[in-house]
Amino acid sequence: MGIETSVANKKVKQVGELAKDKIPIPNSNLNPKTNTNSKGKRGRRRHHKKMVAVSPVQKLFNTCNEVFDSCSTGIIPSSDNIQKLKAVLDNFKPADVGLFPEMPHFQASVAGRTPVIRYLHLHECDKFSMGIFCLPPSGVIPLHNHPGMTVFSKLLFGTMHIKSYDWVADVPATKQTEVRLAKVKVNSKLTAPCNTSILYPTDGGNMHCFTAVTACAVLDVLGPPYSAPDGRHCQYYLDFPFANFSVNGVSIPEEEKEGHAWLQERETPEDLTFVGELYGGPVIVEK
């Protein structure tokens, strides 16, 4: 899950620029004053460098810089690096990024209107992106893919239904019906607190749909981020039961049919709206 740059330009305010203008980076003086007139051992004072605690979101940024340092399309971080980043995210709490369920971002929508999804931009560069999706009850992020990307998703609070798929490798898309066979990876509810979910370029549920059962927030880390010029375009899909299409040469056992579906590419849903909100949590220092 993430916001592609081209889509964001149309539907998401430029929160990154707002953040630069409105969130000052404090200049901390880490060196206490020294008494230059003191002499001798008794007159000298020991000066200790003031220890400043690193915020969880700063630690996340620093870890992402390390983990995705050599990241590119289809390149998966080492297992050690994946576990390092997962360990940081597993301990994340809403307060670590300045969120709480009572915020206006999570208020239920007016009856009959499509719930608006808010997006808090934390960081984006060529290697990775960090952001938070704020979904009110019944908010939906439709089925979409993450081409050549490794994605870490941490549910910060709330309950969310996740349905995800991976392509069946030996069954290509059909020209007649323009559908392709996929296997269900996850089809269940997830309630915070919980561990971080990870998906990979060809495994782990690379195509997924999120539906908010209650108000919820999801912290997303994508490596590398969406980039249409680099072949990482966000594609949306419709899914259909296996029985809906009959494709020559494709058959699966009866008991496995519910675990498969045909996916068909679609345009970005017209009623899908991401609204950018200013991130108000701890400052991230980009060194």
Side-chain angles (χ1 to χ4, degrees), residues 89-105:
L89 284 166
D90 280 347
N91 293 321
F92 247 77
K93 298 175 177 61
D96 294 335
V97 283
L99 290 181
F100 50 92
E102 295 77 21
M103 295 176 74
H105 307 341

Side-chain angles (χ1 to χ4, degrees), residues 1-4 7-13 105 107 109 113-120 132-136 138-142 210 236 266-277:
M1 184 168 58
I3 292 184
E4 183 180 3
V7 176
N9 288 339
K10 296 180 181 180
K11 297 198 173 186
V12 181
K13 299 175 184 177
H105 307 341
Q107 291 182 353
S109 301
R113 293 186 180 180
T114 302
V116 175
I117 299 168
R118 314 271 173 182
Y119 180 73
L120 308 181
I132 302 170
F133 289 90
C134 304
L135 290 82
S138 301
V140 177
I141 298 180
F210 286 0
Y236 289 89
R266 64 179 296 190
E267 296 295 327
T268 302
E270 293 184 359
D271 60 348
L272 175 61
T273 303
F274 294 111
V275 175
E277 297 287 351

